[in-house]
Amino acid sequence: MMKSLAITVWGMMALPGCGPENQTELKGLVKNLNLNQDQLANLEKLVDTFLPKTDTYGGVDLNIHHFLDKLIANCYPEDQQIEFIGGLIKLEQHAQESFGQRFSALAPQERERSLLMMNDESKPEEKSFFEFAKEQIILAYTSSEYFLTNFTNYEMIPGGYDGCVDVPQGTYKI
């Protein structure tokens, strides 16, 4: 619980700076995972596979892939970062073996099938990557300003203030 809270608070501070236009401002404050261009593209498509754009914004529209890059690099131990990068590599291998294409070049249905291959109990490392990626993507989305202001009863000030309210007659039970 505390770890999720800490990640959410850190994310709310860093998320506004996750857009590509703000990359130079954050160089000194946060680090990124050591991903090559193909892995970055795969991370973006991974987010798009879990949270595609529909009549609402998708994960890529909210820059969740940039957020995850920073979140995992700054909030998780190095061994977990290495496991995540290994999962991206394995995801690419599944795409190459099954479809003969890069994961980032696959159609959405093929990306989904390739990703679901990793949701296999008999392969614990792949299953762990699948569950971790899904959890982090959902955490990032549900922590976003877009989600909090459009899909929850978010109030900027907890409890709000109603200055002129009639007080009902009778006794109260507390």
Side-chain angles (χ1 to χ4, degrees), residues 96-134:
Q96 291 286 346
E97 291 168 3
S98 300
F99 303 102
Q101 288 184 312
R102 305 198 66 73
F103 181 76
S104 59
L106 295 176
Q109 298 82 7
E110 294 169 336
R111 285 196 319 256
E112 187 176 330
R113 285 201 315 254
S114 184
L115 185 58
L116 286 173
M117 288 180 205
M118 300 188 80
N119 191 19
D120 185 357
E121 296 289 337
S122 66
K123 301 174 185 171
E125 299 87 18
E126 293 179 19
K127 176 77 171 172
S128 175
F129 169 77
F130 178 86
E131 292 295 327
F132 180 74
K134 182 173 82 171

Side-chain angles (χ1 to χ4, degrees), residues 56-73:
T56 62
Y57 288 158
V60 175
D61 298 324
L62 299 175
N63 288 317
I64 287 178
H65 52 293
H66 294 299
F67 175 74
L68 290 180
D69 185 10
K70 290 169 181 48
L71 175 73
I72 295 168

Side-chain angles (χ1 to χ4, degrees), residues 26-39:
L26 294 175
K27 289 275 187 223
L29 299 175
V30 296
K31 61 182 180 175
N32 292 338
L33 287 172
N34 190 19
L35 300 175
N36 62 35
Q37 290 301 320
D38 292 331
Q39 291 167 333

